[in-house]
């Protein structure tokens, strides 16, 4: 199973988290986020990472030009779209960045909204389901209603996100079967400062999953 730890801001933490078992690290490229990192900070954080670790830039409601420039300058291997991007936008982004993984995040409000995920699967590599919050785009610590996800089986791989912690991860995975999980505030001391003890506990609880 893929494990993405999102909202990395410190180079030493990126190496430590990869060593503990993360398969992907997420870098927030949304300027209003307390976890925002510049291109230079991403370059520093990925410089020493083994090449097998996916480096995902998280963007929201920005232009294809800005995303492409950031990806090319910082060596990101994937883009996570966390705003209100349309399927058409995902298609256009794929034309600009054909080698880069495109992840569309859905901030799930209800079952009806979840059904719109099917509109994206032709144009993206991966979906990510996060909790909806009226004021904040992500990193909120709010959990999804896992019960409504029990039947969710899109035609592309997907990540479960939203309020996951070392304490609730096994409960979540007993109810839903995603291809990957994504955690941010549940393994943090404060926004952008990851708690390596919590990250270690997460991987201990995950065992060989
Ligand atoms: O984390 C942020 O600050 C953020 C800001 C704007 C857009 C997206 C953001 N995070 C996206 C993520 O992938 C988080 O890992 C995801 O929302 C889950 O967060 P959490 O509930 O804290 O585990």
């Amino acid at each position: 199973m893929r494990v993405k730890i999102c909202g990395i801001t410190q180079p030493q933490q990126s190496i430590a988290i990869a060593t503990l078992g993360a398969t992907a690290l997420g870098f927030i490229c949304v300027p209003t986020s307390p976890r925002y990192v510049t291109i230079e900070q991403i370059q520093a954080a990925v410089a020493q990472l083994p090449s097998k670790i996916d480096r995902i830039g998280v963007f929201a409601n920005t232009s294809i030009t800005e995303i492409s420039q950031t990806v090319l300058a910082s060596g990101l291997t994937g883009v996570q779209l966390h705003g209100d991007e349309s399927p058409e936008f995902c298609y256009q982004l794929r034309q600009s960045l054909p080698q880069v993984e495109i992840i569309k995040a859905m901030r799930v409000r209800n079952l009806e909204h979840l059904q719109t995920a099917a509109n994206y699967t032709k144009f993206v590599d991966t979906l990510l389901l996060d909790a909806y919050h009226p004021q904040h785009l992500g990193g909120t610590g709010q959990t999804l209603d896992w019960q409504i996800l029990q039947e969710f089986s899109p035609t592309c791989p997907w990540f479960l996100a939203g309020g996951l912690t070392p304490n609730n991860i096994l409960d979540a995975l007993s109810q839903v079967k995603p291809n990957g999980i994504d955690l941010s505030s549940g393994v943090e001391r404060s926004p952008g400062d990851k708690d390596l003890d919590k990250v270690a506990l997460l991987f201990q609880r995950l065992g060989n999953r």
Side-chain angles (χ1 to χ4, degrees):
M1 189 176 63
R2 296 177 75 185
V3 182
K4 171 169 166 275
I5 304 295
C6 203
I8 306 283
T9 62
Q10 302 176 21
Q12 320 85 291
Q13 292 196 341
S14 80
I15 297 160
I17 290 168
T19 306
L20 285 168
T23 67
L25 302 183
F27 301 96
I28 307 295
C29 304
V30 180
T32 53
S33 167
R35 303 177 181 88
Y36 173 70
V37 280
T38 61
I39 289 175
E40 291 71 27
Q41 284 175 291
I42 301 173
Q43 287 170 335
V46 304
Q48 310 286 326
L49 279 181
S51 57
K52 65 177 184 186
I53 307 295
D54 302 321
R55 304 117 201 258
I56 312 293
V58 179
F59 298 85
N61 303 326
T62 188
S63 67
I64 288 181
T65 307
E66 191 193 319
I67 296 172
S68 302
Q69 284 172 351
T70 306
V71 167
L72 297 175
S74 56
L76 294 169
T77 59
V79 167
Q80 180 174 319
L81 300 171
H82 220 92
D84 303 312
E85 298 83 6
S86 64
E88 170 68 15
F89 183 91
C90 299
Y91 170 79
Q92 297 292 347
L93 184 62
R94 158 132 308 149
Q95 305 311 303
S96 294
L97 296 171
Q99 314 294 341
V100 167
E101 179 180 14
I102 299 179
I103 302 173
K104 178 67 186 102
M106 317 278 310
R107 289 170 290 121
V108 180
R109 295 167 190 225
N110 50 42
L111 196 52
E112 256 170 40
H113 180 229
L114 183 59
Q115 280 153 5
T116 64
N119 301 336
Y120 287 90
T121 50
K122 270 195 290 190
F123 308 115
V124 303
D125 299 288
T126 310
L127 290 168
L128 180 146
L129 302 189
D130 197 2
Y132 176 75
H133 187 288
Q135 273 95 41
H136 300 289
L137 289 170
T140 66
Q142 303 247 327
T143 46
L144 279 159
D145 178 357
W146 299 323
Q147 265 206 324
I148 70 166
L149 303 184
Q150 285 183 349
E151 306 299 316
F152 185 66
S153 70
T155 55
C156 68
W158 66 285
F159 277 95
L160 176 67
L164 298 174
T165 72
N167 290 335
N168 69 14
I169 194 64
L170 296 184
D171 187 13
L173 293 177
S174 71
Q175 297 185 52
V176 288
K177 302 289 170 225
N179 304 91
I181 53 174
D182 170 284
L183 295 89
S184 183
S185 58
V187 288
E188 268 180 350
R189 278 190 286 255
S190 62
D193 181 16
K194 299 302 170 196
D195 183 330
L196 298 181
D197 292 336
K198 287 186 184 165
V199 178
L201 183 59
L202 171 76
F203 286 103
Q204 187 192 318
R205 299 240 161 110
L206 287 172
N208 292 327
R209 281 168 194 265

